[in-house]
Amino acid sequence: MLLASRFRSVWTQRAFLWQVAGKFRLQPLVAGLTRRVFARSPFPLPPVVILQLTEACNLRCRMCYEWGRTGTQLQEGRGGPATLPLGLVESLLDDCRPERTFYSLFGGEPLLYPGFEKMLERAKRNGSSMETVTNGTLLARNAAMLAELGMDLVRVSLDGPREVNDEQRGRGTTDRVMEGLEALYREKQRTGRTSPLLGVIYTVTRDNWHCLERLFCRDLDLRWIDFVTLQMQTFVTREMGLAYERILRREFGCTGTATWRGMLRDPGEFGDLDLGELLRQARRVRSTLLRSGIPTLLFPNTWSEENLSMYLKANWTRMRDYKGHCIAPWVVTDVTARGEVAPCHIFYDLTVGNLGERGIREIWNGEAFNRFRRYMKGRLLPVCPACCQYYGYA
């Protein structure tokens, strides 16, 4: 029975991922995510672009590496939150039209972006697919728009039952998120649409590790959602952050290296986290979701006591999921709210061009980007294993 249950779980997740890949026209990309890397990208344009539409956010989540207690937006010299000009976004969408690029929207809070509707309309007119990550507080007022204009995927951050989530994200946040999830579900029911697919992202921190069951087995109406992501909090140690700074300065002449400081944590902070209890709750949650046909995506991929212990102790090279490479620079790029193009989404200190000066095709195929690819061929930067998303790459 246990083997059969595991088979159903794996099959459901893989079928879901392939369905999403097909929906977003990503089969060629999925097929290309191999261990081979090249001096140049095999794609003439980026198959995936992550757009930071705005740095502005309406919440101040405690663990956020942008606006949290140690967030980069609170560091000196930032000059206030930036917003990506709509003209630059529209030019990017048109330039990438031949590739039918998949766009992932980030912030700040993407739904605060003043040109959101025009951007989404243009992307869909160009034949592209798009997802947005959101804190969910503005979802209810935008539910009809998202469904009508064809947003493909919405991922909502929700980190526990009301008292826990509100403690991390602000009083009243959970009720607004729940209203938004229900509103989008009702809109899809009313119109007969299946899109956007609706997912919940649960980021495990030292403050909410014990609340998985309460959220997914008691508080959340599972009819509303299509999938769940369980991910460990991304964090960086001071030692690896300083080593990262030295490499960027020596190899690329990059002196602005503030992003890692927004994720700075001492592994000792996770000492009270009971991995046995976390994994017990995760197993029950995944089983409950599976019975409702809802797949669970895990980051890192292997949730075992030994593997997660290595993650939380910052012993990343001893993890089962550790790899000596990252294929992201060959298949995805990040565009910041300041128009800078970066080869990494999480650690976007190193930039290789600005859309206000050159088009995306020139930057993607340019010497600065290819120099970074050559450096990354078969190796990692010191901070790479700290990113839980890294473990999802092939």
Side-chain angles (χ1 to χ4, degrees):
M1 182 64 68
L2 180 61
L3 181 62
S5 174
R6 178 170 176 78
F7 175 80
R8 286 196 302 272
S9 177
V10 171
W11 176 258
T12 300
Q13 291 188 50
R14 290 184 176 177
F16 169 79
L17 287 171
W18 192 250
Q19 176 188 9
V20 172
K23 182 179 181 63
F24 298 152
R25 300 182 59 83
L26 288 179
Q27 287 97 335
L29 173 58
V30 173
L33 299 187
T34 68
R35 293 186 181 275
R36 295 180 301 153
V37 292
F38 310 92
R40 301 174 62 87
S41 172
F43 303 98
L45 287 163
V48 178
V49 171
I50 301 174
L51 280 174
Q52 185 189 36
L53 296 175
T54 179
E55 295 174 340
C57 188
N58 58 330
L59 298 183
R60 294 294 180 266
C61 305
R62 294 197 310 182
M63 68 297 184
C64 177
Y65 57 81
E66 292 282 350
W67 287 102
R69 289 172 293 189
T70 60
T72 56
Q73 295 297 329
L74 304 182
Q75 297 173 13
E76 294 183 7
R78 292 295 297 180
T83 295
L84 196 58
L86 179 60
L88 284 186
V89 175
E90 291 177 330
S91 295
L92 172 68
L93 297 176
D94 291 344
D95 288 346
C96 290
R97 182 174 182 175
E99 185 68 33
R100 299 182 72 177
T101 292
F102 172 64
Y103 298 95
S104 181
L105 308 180
F106 275 80
E109 169 51 48
L111 290 176
L112 287 173
Y113 186 61
F116 195 99
E117 292 186 40
K118 291 182 179 179
M119 171 204 61
L120 178 53
E121 285 179 321
R122 199 178 194 104
K124 303 307 295 183
R125 190 164 61 244
N126 286 351
S128 287
S129 297
M130 184 171 281
E131 70 154 1
T132 188
V133 172
T134 174
N135 62 40
T137 59
L138 305 176
L139 193 54
R141 72 175 72 168
N142 289 288
M145 178 271 292
L146 292 169
E148 180 181 349
L149 296 184
M151 177 63 73
D152 296 281
L153 188 68
V154 173
R155 295 191 288 148
V156 180
S157 296
L158 187 58
D159 294 332
R162 180 183 290 106
E163 68 275 16
V164 175
N165 191 66
D166 280 8
E167 179 67 21
Q168 292 198 136
R169 296 180 176 271
R171 180 177 297 180
T173 297
T174 306
D175 288 342
R176 294 165 66 189
V177 172
M178 292 294 189
E179 290 171 8
L181 291 171
E182 183 175 13
L184 188 51
Y185 168 77
R186 298 295 180 195
E187 182 65 20
K188 289 161 61 178
Q189 291 287 302
R190 185 185 69 82
T191 60
R193 293 186 172 96
T194 57
S195 294
L197 296 176
L198 185 54
V200 166
I201 305 171
Y202 190 107
T203 301
V204 177
T205 70
R206 64 177 184 174
D207 298 316
N208 72 349
W209 62 267
H210 56 288
C211 298
L212 283 169
E213 278 184 313
R214 290 175 60 194
L215 177 63
F216 292 107
C217 301
R218 187 192 73 180
D219 293 359
L220 184 63
D221 190 331
L222 299 183
R223 294 177 304 166
W224 299 346
I225 61 175
D226 298 293
F227 69 100
V228 168
T229 300
L230 303 180
Q231 63 184 29
M232 302 301 292
Q233 180 181 13
T234 292
F235 73 98
V236 174
T237 66
R238 182 172 298 278
E239 180 183 12
M240 66 193 301
L242 293 174
Y244 163 74
E245 283 189 350
R246 289 193 295 270
I247 290 176
L248 288 197
R249 184 166 54 248
R250 182 184 71 237
E251 299 291 336
F252 305 102
C254 178
T255 57
T257 52
T259 59
W260 71 269
R261 297 179 184 276
M263 300 170 231
L264 181 61
R265 298 288 185 276
D266 185 330
E269 295 180 20
F270 303 104
D272 293 334
L273 198 155
D274 185 337
L275 284 176
E277 175 62 13
L278 169 64
L279 291 169
R280 184 198 68 77
Q281 292 198 24
R283 286 192 295 270
R284 186 188 172 200
V285 166
R286 294 178 70 191
S287 177
T288 299
L289 294 171
L290 186 60
R291 286 196 296 272
S292 297
I294 300 171
T296 308
L297 310 180
L298 301 177
F299 296 98
N301 299 342
T302 303
W303 276 39
S304 67
E305 190 159 348
E306 180 181 7
N307 207 51
L308 293 188
S309 176
M310 293 300 101
Y311 183 89
L312 294 174
K313 292 177 180 177
N315 291 330
W316 290 293
T317 58
R318 296 178 60 186
M319 290 179 61
R320 179 178 177 181
D321 308 304
Y322 177 81
K323 305 174 293 294
H325 68 280
C326 178
I327 52 85
W330 285 264
V331 295
V332 59
T333 193
D334 188 86
V335 177
T336 76
R338 299 170 190 270
E340 301 285 352
V341 177
C344 178
H345 166 55
I346 300 296
F347 302 100
Y348 50 85
D349 303 293
L350 177 65
T351 60
V352 292
N354 191 293
L355 290 181
E357 300 168 359
R358 294 184 292 158
I360 188 62
R361 183 185 294 271
E362 183 180 354
I363 296 173
W364 176 254
N365 296 289
E367 174 56 24
F369 215 138
N370 286 327
R371 180 185 176 192
F372 182 74
R373 293 181 182 116
R374 289 193 297 270
Y375 179 84
M376 292 294 289
K377 187 175 181 179
R379 61 177 151 184
L380 298 171
L381 292 169
V383 294
C384 293
C387 169
C388 71
Q389 296 182 26
Y390 151 79
Y391 300 96
Y393 289 119

